[in-house]
Amino acid sequence: MTRLKQQYEADGFFGIGILNSESEENIGTLWRSAHILGAAFIFTIDKRYKKQSTDVTRSWTKIPLYHYENFEEFIRALPYDTQLVGVEMGEASVAIDEFEHPPRGVYLLGCESIGLPMKAIKACHSLISLPGNFSLNVATAGSIVIYDRISKIKTRLPVRG
Ligand SMILES: C[S@@+](CC[C@H](N)C(=O)[O-])C[C@H]1O[C@@H](n2cnc3c(N)ncnc32)[C@H](O)[C@@H]1O
């Protein structure tokens, strides 16, 4: 039997989320960017999502929103053959402009006050940093990462309707 190898214009997918975010407005803002810019799913770890005025597109009605009680549960649930990309400043991080995004990627951002804890950093397949000597707002950082990805990898964006 011959195997049918299907090829799509935009292969791959990505998801994005924040570990233990302290600001529900940031979560809503990131979800809005994620959905508009083609994320396949969004997630929270430790913090449940409550409806946010910043998420005017009601992104959770358009793409799946997963909630994980803790980091271990999140790691166990990572989709098959998908890379975890930590978004964090630091010496171990690759500058985003030099980064080649994986076809199937899950982007993990850290919380507003302390960023990603060491156990999360160690679990990532790769780490990326954005330009600048100061931390950006977490939702802004996530939106820039998504923009970088879709400028490098063809991504199907949702259409109005
Ligand atoms: C406000 S920052 C955390 C700052 C924290 N006070 C620290 O210094 O570790 C929240 C999250 O935004 C993301 N972030 C902000 N600026 C970034 C940058 N320049 N490069 C990569 N990630 C960044 C990271 O995911 C970070 O964990």
Side-chain angles (χ1 to χ4, degrees):
M1 189 167 57
T2 47
R3 225 200 270 170
L4 179 65
K5 191 165 191 305
Q6 285 181 308
Q7 293 238 308
Y8 298 91
E9 195 189 357
D11 262 335
F13 58 82
F14 73 96
I16 190 162
I18 309 176
L19 174 59
N20 203 10
S21 175
E22 292 152 359
S23 155
E24 282 158 1
E25 284 76 20
N26 281 340
I27 297 180
T29 302
L30 180 63
W31 288 177
R32 181 177 174 183
S33 299
H35 151 238
I36 293 172
L37 298 178
F41 62 92
I42 50 186
F43 60 87
T44 54
I45 309 171
D46 281 356
K47 281 273 164 10
R48 281 196 183 275
Y49 179 74
K50 289 199 216 110
K51 266 192 208 171
Q52 281 314 305
S53 56
T54 44
D55 185 7
V56 295
T57 60
R58 295 166 19 104
S59 52
W60 77 95
T61 65
K62 315 288 194 315
I63 55 175
L65 162 60
Y66 297 109
H67 173 71
Y68 305 100
E69 293 294 332
N70 52 50
F71 187 69
E72 289 69 28
E73 188 184 304
F74 163 71
I75 290 293
R76 278 197 300 275
L78 270 182
Y80 176 72
D81 200 19
T82 297
Q83 292 202 14
L84 181 60
V85 181
V87 182
E88 195 58 80
M89 296 171 91
E91 282 175 14
S93 299
V94 175
I96 193 161
D97 55 321
E98 291 165 17
F99 185 64
E100 195 177 324
H101 294 266
R104 295 166 301 285
V106 174
Y107 297 88
L108 178 65
L109 294 136
C111 79
E112 291 78 356
S113 58
I114 58 164
L116 284 177
M118 195 44 73
K119 74 170 174 186
I121 287 180
K122 284 188 179 157
C124 292
H125 296 99
S126 45
L127 293 166
I128 54 175
S129 66
L130 299 168
N133 297 317
F134 299 96
S135 291
L136 296 155
N137 166 276
V138 64
T140 305
S143 303
I144 294 172
V145 168
I146 300 173
Y147 175 73
D148 187 78
R149 179 185 171 95
I150 69 171
S151 68
K152 292 173 178 170
I153 298 182
K154 203 170 175 69
T155 306
R156 204 171 303 145
L157 300 182
V159 287
R160 265 174 196 268

